[in-house]
Amino acid sequence: MLNEDVEKVLITEAEIRYKVTEIGQALSADYADKDPVLVSVLRGGVIFLADLIRTMSIQVTIDFMAISSYGPATESSGVVKVLKDLEEDIIGRHVIVVEDIIDTGLTLGYLLRNLGSRNPASLNVCVLLDKSARRILDNLPIKYKGFDVPDAFVVGYGLDYRQKYRNLPYVGILKKSIYEEAEKSSGGID
Ligand code: 5GP
């Protein structure tokens, strides 16, 4: 069972639902009549995006990017390769990047440079989880934020460890034994 691999539940399903609704209402007020483009980063961000847009009362466009980072899996290098680009042309559009978690901020920094170079009318960030203890890149335009999380490896609500745990309805800290075991043989955390 997935639950047994979780050390501690950090944010419950009900807490997430309440916060997502709050953010959705703020976005609806701020972006009324702007038909914003909500950009989600595959794969972890889609759960948040799917719940978020259903709390919004305004017209929205959704689009997706897939990226991969180079370097050791546990360290974000900020050197990113675009595996799947947007389908929408975002020139003159109001763009909101919807992310599951920001850790060092390097990945988001790259994304913002990439999207910003396409001349959107505005560019903001909406993130569910903020792990600010490990932040390297400051001054990110994080206008909408769900929860602060401690410096621990979390899973659930879209976040995975080796593609598992994304479907947990809450956010929890993964037991260290799970990834310590796996990392003895190979790989790391991504
Ligand atoms: P950053 O470039 O901000 O360091 O990296 C952000 C990415 O690292 C996230 O989109 C996510 O894929 C991954 N990440 C960072 N912290 C965690 C975590 O605690 N759990 C999981 N599952 N992924 C994380």
Side-chain angles (χ1 to χ4, degrees), residues 76 99-107 131 152-154 159-160 190:
S76 179
E99 265 277 41
D100 46 7
I101 188 165
I102 301 179
D103 187 9
T104 63
L106 292 171
T107 309
K131 204 195 274 184
F153 192 77
V154 297
L159 289 158
D160 75 308
D190 67 23

Side-chain angles (χ1 to χ4, degrees), residues 11-173:
I11 309 163
T12 66
E13 187 175 359
E15 286 168 333
I16 294 172
R17 194 178 314 119
Y18 187 85
K19 184 66 80 177
V20 169
T21 304
E22 220 174 60
I23 297 173
Q25 285 169 351
L27 287 169
S28 297
D30 295 351
Y31 287 88
D33 304 319
K34 289 187 172 160
D35 185 14
V37 185
L38 274 64
V39 173
S40 170
V41 184
L42 297 172
R43 298 172 223 181
V46 296
I47 311 274
F48 179 32
L49 179 82
D51 282 349
L52 182 65
I53 57 172
R54 283 176 292 174
T55 69
M56 293 175 69
S57 54
I58 61 167
Q59 184 179 314
V60 297
T61 300
I62 61 171
D63 207 345
F64 301 91
M65 280 184 87
I67 56 178
S68 75
S69 23
Y70 294 108
T74 41
E75 299 298 326
S76 179
S77 62
V79 183
V80 168
K81 184 178 170 195
V82 175
L83 301 175
K84 181 211 171 294
D85 206 349
L86 297 179
E87 293 180 26
E88 296 295 316
D89 185 351
I90 58 165
I91 292 182
R93 301 287 303 270
H94 295 277
V95 175
I96 308 160
V97 178
V98 179
E99 265 277 41
D100 46 7
I101 188 165
I102 301 179
D103 187 9
T104 63
L106 292 171
T107 309
L108 183 63
Y110 169 84
L111 264 179
L112 291 174
R113 284 194 301 281
N114 180 307
L115 297 174
S117 71
R118 307 182 199 192
N119 294 321
S122 66
L123 183 57
N124 273 309
V125 178
C126 172
V127 64
L128 186 69
L129 306 175
D130 185 3
K131 204 195 274 184
S132 57
R134 283 172 36 102
R135 189 65 37 79
I136 291 174
L137 207 61
D138 283 322
N139 304 321
L140 295 166
I142 304 174
K143 192 160 178 204
Y144 307 90
K145 183 168 99 173
F147 304 90
D148 289 302
V149 290
D151 185 7
F153 192 77
V154 297
V155 293
Y157 200 72
L159 289 158
D160 75 308
Y161 173 62
R162 299 193 164 189
Q163 301 310 324
K164 272 172 78 178
Y165 312 105
R166 291 194 200 277
N167 54 319
L168 287 173
Y170 56 82
V171 172
I173 298 178

